[in-house]
Amino acid sequence: MGCGEWNTLHEEVLKKEEKFQSTTPSDITPLTQTIEYPFERTQTGIGELDRVLGGGLVAGSYILLGGPPGIGKSTLLLQMSGGLSQHGKVLYACSEESTGQTALRAKRLNISSSDILLFNESSIENILEKARNLKPSFVIIDSIQSVYLSELQSAPGTVSQVRECSNQLMHFAKSTSTSVLIIGHVTKEGSLAGPRVLEHMVDAVLSFEGETHYRILKALKNRFGATNEFGVFQMSDKGLEEIQNPSEFFLEERGKDRIGSAVFTGVEGGRPLLCEIQALTLKSYLAMPRRTSLGIDVNRLHLILAVLEKYFQTPFSKYDVFINLVGGLKLSETAVDLAVISALLSSYHQKPVEPCFFGEVGLTGEIRSCPFGKERVQEAERLGFKEVYLPQSNQKGLQSSKIKVKVISHITELSHLFS
């Protein structure tokens, strides 16, 4: 009733005699008793994917990879199959394509291994029966929305089918210590299609997204690693290629006219990342000036503009303001505040800024410390920047380096850059 749309209810009829298989009750184990879990990781052969997974694929893990159509989900898992085949058999259930189509893609990607077993099947019972007979180390389902359980009368992709097929695969993975990876489609709003219980069942939820020339892989959930790691790929005629130095990639097209541009020294997961923030300020003739922010929370932008108007007397209340995080990135860390302020002031005063910045800005204009200060400074120095502006409390532990470190405690200390 809360969806606000017509014709959104679908009838799903279950057989009266339907009985789902229940798992065998396990023995009760005291918490103080040592429990050995086969926490062994297998390298997938793709370094960026291993980073997002937390170091590799854990035996018996249940992984969901989601993303929009055509983003490269099947390509990524097929390339991963090539690396995993060196450690064991891979059963690839391609229910959306024929085995010939999948083999043609593998040939184009230069993947050839007798341990990759293609299986064109949509019945989850047949897939699991084949997996129990072959006993592969890895099972890939492409996709969970196209497989079905014959005991249900509903069509593949419906809520009941996705829920029960996922449940069957989860019990298979945990009972046999077989790593199972499934591909999931997303809705037009960008969320994973199917019931939310699907995300609760799996051990990790990976999101694959990006622009036309690059892709970003993120872990939205990971029981075996951090959830803030990300990997960057570039699509080419040879498939997905790893971008092992994202900072250089996102800054390589930074123009010479740097008015309204500032470099932010960020950290995503355990990896420092330099990215460009662009700002454009124009005198507005509207009663309510426009505020557009791409890649940064617009509420954060409102806060920053209010602080600037109070302490710099900049009349942004009469200006249209546009903020863009170049490359389609999305940042949630508050350390981006100082870089956004520098880009805004650069655009307003029409003066370029060369240093890179990081630091959180409070409502009273103070600059607050950020984690991983040392790593941020080292990344800026590695890419050849001459100067970095950072919070005063972040200067502790910084070793002497070639880059000039400028510590500030209040945003008014930036005024000399635009005078």
Side-chain angles (χ1 to χ4, degrees):
M1 297 296 292
C3 61
E5 297 181 7
W6 296 100
N7 301 321
T8 56
L9 295 178
H10 301 278
E11 181 181 8
E12 296 182 1
V13 182
L14 304 180
K15 295 181 180 180
K16 293 183 179 180
E17 67 274 9
E18 180 181 334
K19 293 183 181 180
F20 297 111
Q21 296 179 353
S22 59
T23 57
T24 304
S26 58
D27 296 332
I28 297 176
T29 305
L31 180 62
T32 54
Q33 181 177 336
T34 302
I35 303 175
E36 295 184 0
Y37 184 82
F39 199 78
E40 299 177 358
R41 293 188 184 270
T42 303
Q43 302 299 311
T44 64
I46 305 176
E48 293 293 292
L49 177 57
D50 289 337
R51 172 190 289 272
V52 177
L53 290 172
L57 194 62
V58 177
S61 58
Y62 190 25
I63 311 295
L64 169 63
L65 174 64
I71 197 69
K73 301 183 295 296
S74 300
T75 300
L76 178 63
L77 291 192
L78 192 57
Q79 288 184 229
M80 184 190 68
S81 300
L84 293 177
S85 62
Q86 301 178 10
H87 306 279
K89 292 183 179 180
V90 180
L91 178 62
Y92 195 108
C94 42
S95 55
E96 293 185 350
E97 296 179 331
S98 66
T99 54
Q101 288 176 296
T102 306
L104 184 63
R105 182 190 293 115
K107 182 179 180 180
R108 186 173 69 250
L109 299 175
N110 198 23
I111 298 173
S112 178
S113 175
S114 59
D115 287 326
I116 300 178
L117 310 175
L118 301 181
F119 188 38
N120 179 238
E121 181 59 64
S122 298
S123 170
I124 195 66
E125 293 99 333
N126 293 341
I127 293 174
L128 292 179
E129 180 183 2
K130 186 69 68 173
R132 291 188 180 97
N133 293 334
L134 295 175
K135 296 181 180 180
S137 301
F138 315 96
V139 174
I140 296 175
I141 308 295
D142 185 6
S143 67
I144 190 62
Q145 277 84 13
S146 58
V147 297
Y148 65 90
L149 186 66
S150 60
E151 294 180 350
L152 301 180
Q153 294 182 352
S154 54
T158 56
V159 172
S160 59
Q161 285 284 6
V162 172
R163 181 180 59 244
E164 297 306 329
C165 289
S166 300
N167 190 42
Q168 297 273 344
L169 290 168
M170 180 188 67
H171 290 309
F172 171 78
K174 302 306 177 184
S175 61
T176 62
S177 294
T178 304
S179 298
V180 177
L181 300 98
I182 60 176
I183 289 178
H185 300 310
V186 297
T187 62
K188 59 183 179 181
E189 290 82 14
S191 58
L192 286 167
R196 296 291 295 184
V197 69
L198 172 61
E199 300 177 45
H200 296 296
M201 284 183 184
V202 298
D203 295 315
V205 179
L206 307 183
S207 174
F208 207 32
E209 55 191 29
E211 302 295 329
T212 55
H213 60 292
Y214 74 92
R215 307 287 188 269
I216 294 180
L217 182 67
K218 293 184 177 180
L220 305 181
K221 170 187 175 181
N222 193 353
R223 290 173 178 162
F224 303 111
T227 57
N228 52 359
E229 288 287 358
F230 77 103
V232 185
F233 299 86
Q234 189 170 15
M235 182 63 78
S236 68
D237 56 348
K238 298 180 181 179
L240 291 166
E241 298 179 354
E242 302 177 61
I243 299 177
Q244 298 180 352
N245 196 331
S247 296
E248 291 182 359
F249 177 77
F250 288 115
L251 291 179
E252 65 181 359
E253 296 183 1
R254 191 175 182 226
K256 296 181 180 180
D257 185 8
R258 297 175 181 177
I259 294 177
S261 171
V263 175
F264 168 57
T265 310
V267 173
E268 286 290 324
R271 167 192 289 181
L273 173 68
L274 267 62
C275 53
E276 180 185 4
I277 296 175
Q278 293 180 342
L280 179 62
T281 57
L282 297 171
K283 191 173 180 61
S284 179
Y285 298 95
L286 302 175
M288 297 183 63
R290 296 184 61 183
R291 301 287 184 262
T292 302
S293 178
L294 300 178
I296 299 171
D297 184 14
V298 69
N299 293 320
R300 198 77 193 168
L301 175 59
H302 289 312
L303 183 151
I304 291 173
L305 292 175
V307 173
L308 280 175
E309 189 146 1
K310 179 175 179 60
Y311 293 101
F312 276 88
Q313 287 74 50
T314 49
F316 283 123
S317 58
K318 300 179 181 178
Y319 279 70
D320 291 330
V321 176
F322 304 88
I323 291 290
N324 179 37
L325 189 58
V326 176
L329 293 172
K330 295 181 181 179
L331 294 179
S332 58
E333 66 167 331
T334 55
V336 74
D337 293 351
L338 195 58
V340 173
I341 285 177
S342 301
L344 287 169
L345 292 176
S346 172
S347 176
Y348 178 77
H349 292 285
Q350 289 295 291
K351 290 190 176 182
V353 287
E354 295 299 332
C356 52
F357 306 84
F358 71 89
E360 178 184 353
V361 177
L363 290 177
T364 59
E366 80 280 6
I367 310 298
R368 297 177 174 270
S369 64
C370 305
F372 304 104
K374 180 180 178 181
E375 288 77 6
R376 298 174 194 261
V377 173
Q378 289 176 344
E379 182 71 2
E381 181 182 357
R382 189 182 67 82
L383 290 184
F385 282 87
K386 300 289 196 292
E387 190 175 19
V388 58
Y389 279 66
L390 49 82
Q392 187 173 14
S393 53
N394 271 120
Q395 66 178 332
K396 300 177 182 178
L398 292 180
Q399 299 176 352
S400 58
S401 57
K402 297 179 181 179
I403 190 170
K404 182 179 179 181
V405 176
K406 179 70 175 179
V407 295
I408 57 176
S409 58
H410 198 272
I411 61 169
T412 54
E413 297 176 37
L414 291 174
S415 58
H416 70 280
L417 289 174
F418 311 99
S419 57

